[in-house]
Amino acid sequence: MKKRSIFTTGISGSAMALSLAIAATPQMAMAQDADEAEEAVDEDGVIIVRGFQAALESAVSEKRNTDLILESVTAEDIGKLPDNSIGEAIARLPGLTAQRLGGRANSISIRGFGQDFSQTLLNGREQTSLGDARAVEFDQYPAELVQQVVVYKTPSAELVGQGLVGTIDIRTLRPLDLDERILAVGARLSYPDTGALNSGSSELGYRVNATFADTFADGTVGISLSASYVDEPYHIEEFNAWGYTDQATPGNRLIGGSKSFVTSTDLERLGLSGTVQVEFTPQLTLTVDGFYSDFEDDQIKRGIELPLGFCVNPADPTNGASAFCFSAAFDPSTAVVENETVVGGTFPSVEGVVRNDIFNKQADLVSGGINLDYEGDDGWNAFIDFGYSRTDRRELSFESYSGTGVGAGNGAVDQITFTQDESGAFFNPSLNYSDPNLIVLTDPLGWGGGTQAGYFNDRIIDDELWQFRVGIEKELDGFISALKLGANFTNREKTLTPDESFIRLAGGALERAIPSELLLDPTDLSYLGLGPIVSYDARELIESGIYVLEPNLSNDIPAKAFNIQEELLTFYGQADIFQRLGNADLTGNIGVQAINTDQRSSGIGFPGGVQTPISAGDSYWDILPSANLSLRFDSDFVIRVAASRQIQRPRLDDLRSAIGYGLNFTGPGPDGSSPFISGGGGNPFLRPYRANAFDMTFEKYFGRGGVIAAQLYYKDIKSYIDKSVFTFDYTGFPLPAGPVPPSRIGLLDAPNNTGGGDFYGAELGATIPFGMFSEALEGFGFTGGVGYTETKVEDAFGNVDEIPGYSKWVANGTAYYERYGFNARASVRHRSGFLGDFTGFGGALNRKNALSETIVDAQIGYDFEGGALDGLSVYLQGQNLTNEPFVAIDGNGNPLQVVDYQSFGRRFLAGFTFRF
């Protein structure tokens, strides 16, 4: 087998001797009959293993032979575990966990830090993203198209594009690594036990996939092609609270309002992947690879928004009308109090808003590259690599309102009693919200002056990245086994163009009956006690001319737009080390990266409220030394130590130059001048998160593919990013109208580089094949791990800040059995409470205090060997078998004050793969 390119691995080729022992895609692994050998040997003497146990062996070999601290999963892990995306597969690795969005694991936390603190690569190249920031949403990568995922927990100098807490490298199939032709197809059906919760949604889903790979011309030309198509529904029953207040119940907090929905999502995704390799000579290989994903997430959200405690006016207990909402004062005589929370009572007259909303996200991702790899017979190696990635995304939020009448206090009101527990509130209304004679299209609470029947928000995001890299290596004899030099240039541009409009009723009408021909079957909200509500597709109201759009011309809209340009020039040098020391080998690498960042942000600023084009940015260097040393004893015991300087560049949307500012006459500014400039918005001068890191691991390898590893880590965070008010130099920004301030030094409320802190923890991981203890246990085994992390990061004012995605405890484990063609697995993953990132109104970042969760999945299957069904594998899978909800509570930590409770239900899947 040809040595893998030093570019694609990020580590030396000698350390990757068994990095891809699995020579199959997820659909192709077959268990061997117990009476036959469970391994084969190719013509070069390289072991080719198949089956889940063999996949674990490959991951253990990867961990053992590298000089970096890493975790990995291979094709079999991803294809045979009950995983919809690679996010769910890598969430089972020690020290990693996932956050569920819409019931799917599509964002990853490494060692307690959220998705904004790690970097994702595809075949060693940086990638564009679906979101506003840098973080990759793993929904865009079908599991069937991935051959291997490696998670680097420590960096080396030649690992370009590294993150602060880790780097995730997704790798697709390389045909020249194969020893036989592959032709395989697969399909599966999925069923959520929630059923179809919304009219127009479905309860059955499916996915199909196919893979072909082969070599030609005596093994010098290789081609691999893979395709995957998914059409699957996801359903959620959600309780959501506006928050809690004690204005009407002093000393005890009362629910401020409810905005709860039944959500149905249809995920459609087409994924294509292809690679062509040509070995011109034994020394020179060309690799051209491409990846395409066409992704659409169409979401229907139907529910009721109930203004409650926030709308009570304590000064007028008989009438709490306001410009925002209407509600009679809460009846204190009905209050039931528990743990400083009102958990029951009556609101005598509530005016609710029936919502029929549409959220649609469409994205096209194109990624690929060309790599020319030279491996000389004289120890000289070199490569040239070109990469490209582009994501075009359109995200539509379409809100539609209806109620009993136009404006606050003018329609029929509802007497609502409620009870509350740790799953949210349960309501008992007096109105029938499914009556189309009662519920009409209108502006029920006068949010838009009585004329706003909804809101239309269309966000258009373009993200494009070019990358060019060269490297050269000289293999040596002696303590330094290789010297490597390289350079990389990355150019990235990301733009957001918001298009927002008010939705009005045609002809200036203030209210209108919902046309009977557009009415759908009512949506059932009985899980909240609210019963059925009127349902319709709001898009049909625009198509029929009932709704008209009126552009929103306020400054709030262009303030969201941005154009971020980033040029990164990276140089690196690295020395690989090998030395025999007594009964052990010392291996590793020492190196340094030097990165020049040139960032430029342009958009619309608002000096004195006047729209003005603004462009600003910064240029700076980061010097990142790193060292990874491994002491490998003959007894299969390995001690590793690593030290490095690490960075993570800021969220792209935080770099926006859109700043609203004006003159402040209330007192002296930060330099004592008056008046002074004060504003808020983005910060185009942001620098990266920075930390000094130290890692140590102790690993014991045993038997066939067994390992127990203990990892200790510490990060001294030197620079953090937090939103705060700080001194800002407005030099270069247009002055607002009015008197000229004596100084350009003012204040800005925006993301800012603040003080640092400490981050430390430990992980214990193990892969144990039980057959090593007794022949009777052959086929049984376990893999998993547990991690504990402590962190203390200070904001700009010295207060302890909560890190997004941080969980103190994460744990996961998979118990398996695989023999005689039968296979069974049960997997559990757990994380303690964390601060989760969500997309709020208009794409704004919304963070919630999530409670701990434990997810249980399982699978059984059978692989046929011999006969007419030879090559066929069938399986049944169950996901979220305990119906674990997502729960977030108010910031004070009271479990009764639930702000979000999402029930996803269980999912059951049946499928097959067939290898010809």
Side-chain angles (χ1 to χ4, degrees), residues 5-27:
S5 164
I6 57 175
F7 166 75
T8 58
T9 64
I11 53 179
S12 66
S14 61
M16 292 292 297
L18 292 176
S19 66
L20 276 182
I22 293 295
T25 55
Q27 296 74 34

PDB file of all heavy atoms in Angstrom, residues 5-27:
ATOM      1  N   SER A   5      -0.302  10.542   1.753  1.00  0.00           N
ATOM      2  CA  SER A   5       0.298  11.857   1.613  1.00  0.00           C
ATOM      3  C   SER A   5       0.490  12.528   2.962  1.00  0.00           C
ATOM      4  O   SER A   5      -0.364  12.466   3.836  1.00  0.00           O
ATOM      5  CB  SER A   5      -0.606  12.741   0.740  1.00  0.00           C
ATOM      6  OG  SER A   5      -0.256  14.095   0.867  1.00  0.00           O
ATOM      7  N   ILE A   6       1.629  13.175   3.154  1.00  0.00           N
ATOM      8  CA  ILE A   6       1.849  13.900   4.393  1.00  0.00           C
ATOM      9  C   ILE A   6       0.892  15.073   4.511  1.00  0.00           C
ATOM     10  O   ILE A   6       0.642  15.566   5.600  1.00  0.00           O
ATOM     11  CB  ILE A   6       3.308  14.408   4.497  1.00  0.00           C
ATOM     12  CG1 ILE A   6       3.648  15.299   3.291  1.00  0.00           C
ATOM     13  CG2 ILE A   6       4.266  13.255   4.613  1.00  0.00           C
ATOM     14  CD1 ILE A   6       5.016  15.923   3.373  1.00  0.00           C
ATOM     15  N   PHE A   7       0.309  15.496   3.414  1.00  0.00           N
ATOM     16  CA  PHE A   7      -0.684  16.574   3.485  1.00  0.00           C
ATOM     17  C   PHE A   7      -1.974  16.094   4.110  1.00  0.00           C
ATOM     18  O   PHE A   7      -2.519  16.704   5.006  1.00  0.00           O
ATOM     19  CB  PHE A   7      -0.980  17.134   2.091  1.00  0.00           C
ATOM     20  CG  PHE A   7      -2.210  17.992   2.071  1.00  0.00           C
ATOM     21  CD1 PHE A   7      -2.184  19.262   2.605  1.00  0.00           C
ATOM     22  CD2 PHE A   7      -3.394  17.511   1.552  1.00  0.00           C
ATOM     23  CE1 PHE A   7      -3.320  20.053   2.606  1.00  0.00           C
ATOM     24  CE2 PHE A   7      -4.528  18.287   1.554  1.00  0.00           C
ATOM     25  CZ  PHE A   7      -4.494  19.566   2.079  1.00  0.00           C
ATOM     26  N   THR A   8      -2.496  14.963   3.649  1.00  0.00           N
ATOM     27  CA  THR A   8      -3.819  14.553   4.086  1.00  0.00           C
ATOM     28  C   THR A   8      -3.834  14.042   5.507  1.00  0.00           C
ATOM     29  O   THR A   8      -4.852  14.061   6.164  1.00  0.00           O
ATOM     30  CB  THR A   8      -4.383  13.461   3.171  1.00  0.00           C
ATOM     31  OG1 THR A   8      -3.474  12.347   3.169  1.00  0.00           O
ATOM     32  CG2 THR A   8      -4.551  13.961   1.766  1.00  0.00           C
ATOM     33  N   THR A   9      -2.726  13.583   6.029  1.00  0.00           N
ATOM     34  CA  THR A   9      -2.743  13.056   7.387  1.00  0.00           C
ATOM     35  C   THR A   9      -2.482  14.114   8.432  1.00  0.00           C
ATOM     36  O   THR A   9      -2.956  14.017   9.548  1.00  0.00           O
ATOM     37  CB  THR A   9      -1.674  11.964   7.551  1.00  0.00           C
ATOM     38  OG1 THR A   9      -0.388  12.549   7.364  1.00  0.00           O
ATOM     39  CG2 THR A   9      -1.892  10.849   6.557  1.00  0.00           C
ATOM     40  N   GLY A  10      -1.709  15.128   8.115  1.00  0.00           N
ATOM     41  CA  GLY A  10      -1.330  16.095   9.129  1.00  0.00           C
ATOM     42  C   GLY A  10      -0.240  15.568  10.047  1.00  0.00           C
ATOM     43  O   GLY A  10       0.218  16.260  10.936  1.00  0.00           O
ATOM     44  N   ILE A  11       0.178  14.303   9.866  1.00  0.00           N
ATOM     45  CA  ILE A  11       1.270  13.726  10.633  1.00  0.00           C
ATOM     46  C   ILE A  11       2.105  12.877   9.698  1.00  0.00           C
ATOM     47  O   ILE A  11       1.736  12.624   8.553  1.00  0.00           O
ATOM     48  CB  ILE A  11       0.749  12.879  11.817  1.00  0.00           C
ATOM     49  CG1 ILE A  11      -0.260  11.829  11.320  1.00  0.00           C
ATOM     50  CG2 ILE A  11       0.094  13.734  12.857  1.00  0.00           C
ATOM     51  CD1 ILE A  11      -0.787  10.962  12.409  1.00  0.00           C
ATOM     52  N   SER A  12       3.237  12.421  10.191  1.00  0.00           N
ATOM     53  CA  SER A  12       4.174  11.748   9.301  1.00  0.00           C
ATOM     54  C   SER A  12       3.600  10.454   8.762  1.00  0.00           C
ATOM     55  O   SER A  12       2.823   9.772   9.402  1.00  0.00           O
ATOM     56  CB  SER A  12       5.466  11.457  10.073  1.00  0.00           C
ATOM     57  OG  SER A  12       5.224  10.525  11.092  1.00  0.00           O
ATOM     58  N   GLY A  13       4.016  10.102   7.569  1.00  0.00           N
ATOM     59  CA  GLY A  13       3.532   8.888   6.957  1.00  0.00           C
ATOM     60  C   GLY A  13       3.878   7.653   7.760  1.00  0.00           C
ATOM     61  O   GLY A  13       3.105   6.707   7.836  1.00  0.00           O
ATOM     62  N   SER A  14       5.057   7.619   8.393  1.00  0.00           N
ATOM     63  CA  SER A  14       5.433   6.446   9.170  1.00  0.00           C
ATOM     64  C   SER A  14       4.515   6.221  10.342  1.00  0.00           C
ATOM     65  O   SER A  14       4.375   5.103  10.834  1.00  0.00           O
ATOM     66  CB  SER A  14       6.871   6.598   9.675  1.00  0.00           C
ATOM     67  OG  SER A  14       6.984   7.731  10.506  1.00  0.00           O
ATOM     68  N   ALA A  15       3.871   7.274  10.816  1.00  0.00           N
ATOM     69  CA  ALA A  15       2.956   7.143  11.944  1.00  0.00           C
ATOM     70  C   ALA A  15       1.578   6.693  11.516  1.00  0.00           C
ATOM     71  O   ALA A  15       0.701   6.484  12.333  1.00  0.00           O
ATOM     72  CB  ALA A  15       2.831   8.478  12.681  1.00  0.00           C
ATOM     73  N   MET A  16       1.388   6.501  10.219  1.00  0.00           N
ATOM     74  CA  MET A  16       0.060   6.203   9.714  1.00  0.00           C
ATOM     75  C   MET A  16       0.011   4.850   9.026  1.00  0.00           C
ATOM     76  O   MET A  16      -0.787   4.626   8.138  1.00  0.00           O
ATOM     77  CB  MET A  16      -0.376   7.288   8.716  1.00  0.00           C
ATOM     78  CG  MET A  16      -0.623   8.635   9.361  1.00  0.00           C
ATOM     79  SD  MET A  16      -2.046   8.588  10.431  1.00  0.00           S
ATOM     80  CE  MET A  16      -3.311   8.226   9.235  1.00  0.00           C
ATOM     81  N   ALA A  17       0.833   3.924   9.440  1.00  0.00           N
ATOM     82  CA  ALA A  17       0.937   2.663   8.728  1.00  0.00           C
ATOM     83  C   ALA A  17      -0.385   1.921   8.653  1.00  0.00           C
ATOM     84  O   ALA A  17      -0.639   1.200   7.693  1.00  0.00           O
ATOM     85  CB  ALA A  17       1.986   1.782   9.401  1.00  0.00           C
ATOM     86  N   LEU A  18      -1.228   2.079   9.666  1.00  0.00           N
ATOM     87  CA  LEU A  18      -2.502   1.370   9.663  1.00  0.00           C
ATOM     88  C   LEU A  18      -3.661   2.339   9.773  1.00  0.00           C
ATOM     89  O   LEU A  18      -4.699   2.020  10.322  1.00  0.00           O
ATOM     90  CB  LEU A  18      -2.551   0.369  10.827  1.00  0.00           C
ATOM     91  CG  LEU A  18      -1.601  -0.816  10.717  1.00  0.00           C
ATOM     92  CD1 LEU A  18      -1.685  -1.666  11.974  1.00  0.00           C
ATOM     93  CD2 LEU A  18      -1.909  -1.658   9.495  1.00  0.00           C
ATOM     94  N   SER A  19      -3.491   3.554   9.267  1.00  0.00           N
ATOM     95  CA  SER A  19      -4.526   4.564   9.484  1.00  0.00           C
ATOM     96  C   SER A  19      -5.824   4.235   8.781  1.00  0.00           C
ATOM     97  O   SER A  19      -6.878   4.648   9.207  1.00  0.00           O
ATOM     98  CB  SER A  19      -4.034   5.932   9.009  1.00  0.00           C
ATOM     99  OG  SER A  19      -3.860   5.913   7.617  1.00  0.00           O
ATOM    100  N   LEU A  20      -5.759   3.481   7.686  1.00  0.00           N
ATOM    101  CA  LEU A  20      -6.985   3.118   6.986  1.00  0.00           C
ATOM    102  C   LEU A  20      -6.998   1.619   6.722  1.00  0.00           C
ATOM    103  O   LEU A  20      -7.058   1.171   5.585  1.00  0.00           O
ATOM    104  CB  LEU A  20      -7.120   3.891   5.674  1.00  0.00           C
ATOM    105  CG  LEU A  20      -7.711   5.282   5.791  1.00  0.00           C
ATOM    106  CD1 LEU A  20      -7.826   5.895   4.414  1.00  0.00           C
ATOM    107  CD2 LEU A  20      -9.073   5.253   6.450  1.00  0.00           C
ATOM    108  N   ALA A  21      -6.964   0.858   7.778  1.00  0.00           N
ATOM    109  CA  ALA A  21      -6.996  -0.587   7.606  1.00  0.00           C
ATOM    110  C   ALA A  21      -8.332  -1.054   7.072  1.00  0.00           C
ATOM    111  O   ALA A  21      -8.426  -2.098   6.440  1.00  0.00           O
ATOM    112  CB  ALA A  21      -6.702  -1.285   8.937  1.00  0.00           C
ATOM    113  N   ILE A  22      -9.397  -0.270   7.310  1.00  0.00           N
ATOM    114  CA  ILE A  22     -10.696  -0.627   6.746  1.00  0.00           C
ATOM    115  C   ILE A  22     -10.685  -0.270   5.269  1.00  0.00           C
ATOM    116  O   ILE A  22     -10.547   0.870   4.902  1.00  0.00           O
ATOM    117  CB  ILE A  22     -11.826   0.136   7.439  1.00  0.00           C
ATOM    118  CG1 ILE A  22     -11.934  -0.331   8.888  1.00  0.00           C
ATOM    119  CG2 ILE A  22     -13.153  -0.074   6.753  1.00  0.00           C
ATOM    120  CD1 ILE A  22     -12.346  -1.765   9.016  1.00  0.00           C
ATOM    121  N   ALA A  23     -10.855  -1.244   4.426  1.00  0.00           N
ATOM    122  CA  ALA A  23     -10.847  -1.005   2.989  1.00  0.00           C
ATOM    123  C   ALA A  23     -12.258  -1.106   2.449  1.00  0.00           C
ATOM    124  O   ALA A  23     -12.543  -1.824   1.508  1.00  0.00           O
ATOM    125  CB  ALA A  23      -9.945  -1.998   2.293  1.00  0.00           C
ATOM    126  N   ALA A  24     -13.203  -0.397   3.087  1.00  0.00           N
ATOM    127  CA  ALA A  24     -14.591  -0.433   2.650  1.00  0.00           C
ATOM    128  C   ALA A  24     -15.301   0.791   3.137  1.00  0.00           C
ATOM    129  O   ALA A  24     -14.899   1.419   4.085  1.00  0.00           O
ATOM    130  CB  ALA A  24     -15.288  -1.680   3.187  1.00  0.00           C
ATOM    131  N   THR A  25     -16.377   1.139   2.447  1.00  0.00           N
ATOM    132  CA  THR A  25     -17.224   2.228   2.888  1.00  0.00           C
ATOM    133  C   THR A  25     -18.244   1.699   3.867  1.00  0.00           C
ATOM    134  O   THR A  25     -18.335   0.502   4.090  1.00  0.00           O
ATOM    135  CB  THR A  25     -17.929   2.864   1.681  1.00  0.00           C
ATOM    136  OG1 THR A  25     -18.607   1.833   1.007  1.00  0.00           O
ATOM    137  CG2 THR A  25     -16.951   3.543   0.773  1.00  0.00           C
ATOM    138  N   PRO A  26     -19.078   2.577   4.525  1.00  0.00           N
ATOM    139  CA  PRO A  26     -19.942   2.112   5.585  1.00  0.00           C
ATOM    140  C   PRO A  26     -20.870   0.987   5.184  1.00  0.00           C
ATOM    141  O   PRO A  26     -21.277   0.197   6.028  1.00  0.00           O
ATOM    142  CB  PRO A  26     -20.751   3.368   5.927  1.00  0.00           C
ATOM    143  CG  PRO A  26     -19.878   4.501   5.544  1.00  0.00           C
ATOM    144  CD  PRO A  26     -19.104   4.020   4.368  1.00  0.00           C
ATOM    145  N   GLN A  27     -21.236   0.924   3.934  1.00  0.00           N
ATOM    146  CA  GLN A  27     -22.229  -0.060   3.526  1.00  0.00           C
ATOM    147  C   GLN A  27     -21.625  -1.422   3.196  1.00  0.00           C
ATOM    148  O   GLN A  27     -22.347  -2.349   2.864  1.00  0.00           O
ATOM    149  CB  GLN A  27     -22.979   0.444   2.279  1.00  0.00           C
ATOM    150  CG  GLN A  27     -23.789   1.693   2.541  1.00  0.00           C
ATOM    151  CD  GLN A  27     -22.921   2.894   2.684  1.00  0.00           C
ATOM    152  OE1 GLN A  27     -21.900   2.994   2.033  1.00  0.00           O
ATOM    153  NE2 GLN A  27     -23.295   3.796   3.545  1.00  0.00           N
TER     154      GLN A  27
END
